[in-house]
Structures are given as structure tokens and as C-alpha cells.
Amino acid sequence: MDEWGLLKPMVPGGSLPLLETPQGALKGGATRATMRFLSLTYGYYPDDPMQAQQCDMIVDAFQDVFNLSGDAAFGKGFDPSTIPDCKVKYYEKLHPFLAFLEPYCAKGQFLCGPKICVADFWVGAMVTSLFENPNVCFGNDDSENSW
């Protein structure tokens, strides 16, 4: 952790993840920027501009919901007394996100066109990490059954 304190001021955006290419170039910070770099590099970003826009829209909307999930599970700043309020905020964002996502899911195998893209990975991660994971820390209330 001490190393991160020294490295952080030199990292673009001052955040993780960090990515170093085989050529040694440091591509740093910003999760979504790194995600776009990797998806463009390895063919998981749509070529069609409309599909790319839909992909970005889904990923950005996902991020808004996902950012609230940690607080809902563990409390804001890891303060368990904030969990009930954080859960309310999480579910208030989650339900509209799932309604927004439903037409994309109904189109077919992939969210944004004829082949898998990074939006599919992010939404798949949400399903497996939060919805299907028996160890997720949302407690025993009925609100989690309403998705």
C-alpha cells in the first residue's frame, strides 16, 4: 500500500487499474478507459458507431448501479449503520437499470449487435457477482428478491 501512495501522483487520473503494455508504455487509471483500450485492442468493442454508442451507454449506466452495490453490501465507508439507506439507493437505481437493459437482452444473444462485446462482459459480471452469488452480502430482506 505504501508503494501506491508514491505511485498515485504519477498515474494518469490517479486511479487504478494500471495497465502496462509489453512495450512498457503505461496506460493508467480510469477503469472504463482501460476497458475501452482492451476491448478495442482485442476485438470486443463494436465496429458500428451506433452499436458502440449503445455499448458505452450500457457500460456507463452499469457503472452508476455497480458503484452503489458496495455501499449496499458493506455500508458507506464500511459503516454498517449506513447499509439500510445505501440499499434503498441501490435498489432505486437497480430497478430502472434492469428495465433499461431488458430490450437489449430481448434482442438476442448479445446486447449490442451480432457478436459479444464489453457490455456483455460487464452485465455478465453483474449477474454472476451480485445476483447469482450465494455469498453476496445484501442480508435477508425481500428487496433483493424483486429483481
Side-chain angles (χ1 to χ4, degrees), residues 5 8 10 13 21-22 25 37 45 49-51 67 70 77 83 87 90 100 106-107 115-116 120 130 132 146-147:
K8 187 175 180 177
M10 297 181 284
T21 65
F37 171 79
Y45 196 79
M50 182 57 74
Q51 292 171 358
N67 286 343
I83 290 174
K87 278 181 155 182
Y90 173 69
F100 156 76
K107 288 192 299 187
K115 65 180 194 170
I116 195 167
D120 297 293
L130 299 179
E132 298 296 327
S146 62
W147 48 38

Side-chain angles (χ1 to χ4, degrees), residues 114-143:
K115 65 180 194 170
I116 195 167
C117 73
V118 70
D120 297 293
F121 291 119
W122 284 79
V123 172
M126 178 183 231
V127 169
T128 57
S129 301
L130 299 179
F131 302 166
E132 298 296 327
N133 182 351
N135 298 312
V136 76
C137 305
F138 284 104
N140 297 318
D141 61 28
D142 287 336
S143 58

Side-chain angles (χ1 to χ4, degrees), residues 72-85:
F74 304 108
K76 191 159 189 76
F78 295 99
D79 177 356
S81 71
T82 65
I83 290 174
D85 289 338

